[in-house]
Amino acid sequence: MRRLFAVTLIVFSQPAVAQGIAIPFAPPTDRALVYRIEQHRPVEGTTRQFSATRDLRFERAGDGYILQATLRDIDSDAPAAGAEPYRAALTPLVGVVLRFQLDGQGRIVGLDDIDAVWGKVQAGIDAMLAQFAPDTPRHKAAANVKALFASLSPDGRLALLAGEVQPLFLFASSSVEGGEGRGLRTVAGSPLGRPVPVEGTLRVVGQPADALDLEEKLAGEGVQVGIQYRLSRTSGLVEKQDRSLAVGSLALTESRTLKPVD
């Protein structure tokens, strides 16, 4: 949901298919999963935490899959000025079941009952607007989110709803190169305020059992980005992702973990 609020660190660089280590797409369909995203960024001179936890489950659907994703909870220790945009963007999604349609290569191609889902999201925003006085930070943040949602096309709605689970499938049905790796070129976006071209390399730095450890280093004008991935060679899913973004003295970090439910 990086168009909603300035907490996503960069746009994701989609890996191109190349000769190397083949990555499948075979997500587990026999277990419940939990997907946690934790971000740390400065707010009013202090590093603050923002977190979101989702319950996931895959099921077969013809030649592809259904990913059922439900945002369980969100949290932040930031003061109102920093936390309200985050809460306004995600609170309407808490408890809403999203059933994403995936093809056999791990691409999100649709969402079951998207109109009904979108109606629930809009109802959640309207409830927030009714709950808080017009001059409060929460009301203003919710009004901004409602205006953004109203501006989205159908494709934009799907992209927004899928945005936080999309990183799970970055390498599905592709391959990664060993040795020196390969060059990458992409654009660092929010929260920089403007797109900044960055380039660097993606390489394999470890091969533990049934997994690959990858390292991505990117740089551009005044920007340094580092990303570490733990990639399952069984499912093709990114099970762990740690990212850091440095812009001058400003530092932001984000971690994503995918685990089976205990």
Side-chain angles (χ1 to χ4, degrees), residues 105-186:
Q105 287 70 52
R107 292 185 293 265
I108 295 176
V109 296
L111 178 69
D112 286 357
D113 300 321
I114 188 169
D115 290 339
V117 168
W118 199 248
K120 292 179 181 179
V121 172
Q122 290 179 308
I125 297 173
D126 289 338
M128 292 178 66
L129 288 169
Q131 185 178 359
F132 304 110
D135 59 345
T136 61
R138 288 191 174 185
H139 189 282
K140 293 175 182 178
N144 289 338
V145 170
K146 182 172 183 176
L148 175 62
F149 280 14
S151 72
L152 294 175
S153 67
D155 287 344
R157 294 175 183 178
L158 176 60
L160 183 146
L161 294 171
E164 292 293 16
V165 297
Q166 190 72 58
L168 292 168
F169 313 115
L170 281 175
F171 301 93
S173 302
S174 71
S175 65
V176 296
E177 299 175 25
E180 296 182 357
R182 69 165 177 268
L184 295 175
R185 184 175 296 169
T186 183

Side-chain angles (χ1 to χ4, degrees), residues 13-259:
S13 50
Q14 293 287 349
V17 176
Q19 296 299 317
I21 304 170
I23 306 301
F25 180 58
T29 57
D30 60 346
R31 71 195 70 168
L33 305 168
V34 60
Y35 188 44
R36 179 171 173 82
I37 303 172
E38 188 171 299
Q39 302 158 337
H40 294 85
R41 61 186 179 94
V43 177
E44 298 180 357
T46 302
T47 299
R48 298 295 187 176
Q49 175 181 303
F50 300 80
S51 65
T53 303
R54 289 172 172 82
D55 296 320
L56 307 183
R57 183 179 289 274
F58 289 92
E59 60 188 68
R60 289 292 307 195
D63 295 331
Y65 296 86
I66 293 291
L67 168 59
Q68 180 170 298
T70 307
L71 180 60
R72 183 199 308 170
D73 59 58
I74 61 172
D75 195 17
S76 176
D77 62 2
E84 293 310 337
Y86 180 81
R87 294 186 184 280
L90 288 181
T91 297
L93 288 167
V94 173
V96 178
V97 178
L98 306 178
R99 290 176 54 84
F100 294 105
Q101 304 160 10
L102 284 74
D103 65 15
Q105 287 70 52
R107 292 185 293 265
I108 295 176
V109 296
L111 178 69
D112 286 357
D113 300 321
I114 188 169
D115 290 339
V117 168
W118 199 248
K120 292 179 181 179
V121 172
Q122 290 179 308
I125 297 173
D126 289 338
M128 292 178 66
L129 288 169
Q131 185 178 359
F132 304 110
D135 59 345
T136 61
R138 288 191 174 185
H139 189 282
K140 293 175 182 178
N144 289 338
V145 170
K146 182 172 183 176
L148 175 62
F149 280 14
S151 72
L152 294 175
S153 67
D155 287 344
R157 294 175 183 178
L158 176 60
L160 183 146
L161 294 171
E164 292 293 16
V165 297
Q166 190 72 58
L168 292 168
F169 313 115
L170 281 175
F171 301 93
S173 302
S174 71
S175 65
V176 296
E177 299 175 25
E180 296 182 357
R182 69 165 177 268
L184 295 175
R185 184 175 296 169
T186 183
V187 177
S190 170
L192 301 180
R194 60 183 177 86
V196 176
V198 291
E199 57 182 280
T201 58
L202 173 70
R203 64 189 186 95
V204 177
V205 295
Q207 298 192 44
D210 299 322
L212 291 175
D213 288 336
L214 310 176
E215 180 182 68
E216 188 169 308
K217 291 185 176 180
L218 302 164
E221 182 182 354
V223 179
Q224 299 285 332
V225 181
I227 310 175
Q228 291 77 44
Y229 304 94
R230 170 62 61 87
L231 175 62
S232 170
R233 296 183 68 174
T234 302
S235 68
L237 300 174
V238 175
E239 296 180 333
K240 185 171 176 57
Q241 178 177 328
D242 294 305
R243 300 188 290 160
S244 63
L245 170 66
V247 185
S249 61
L250 178 66
L252 303 98
T253 63
E254 178 185 82
S255 65
R256 295 169 178 257
T257 55
L258 178 70
K259 296 180 178 180

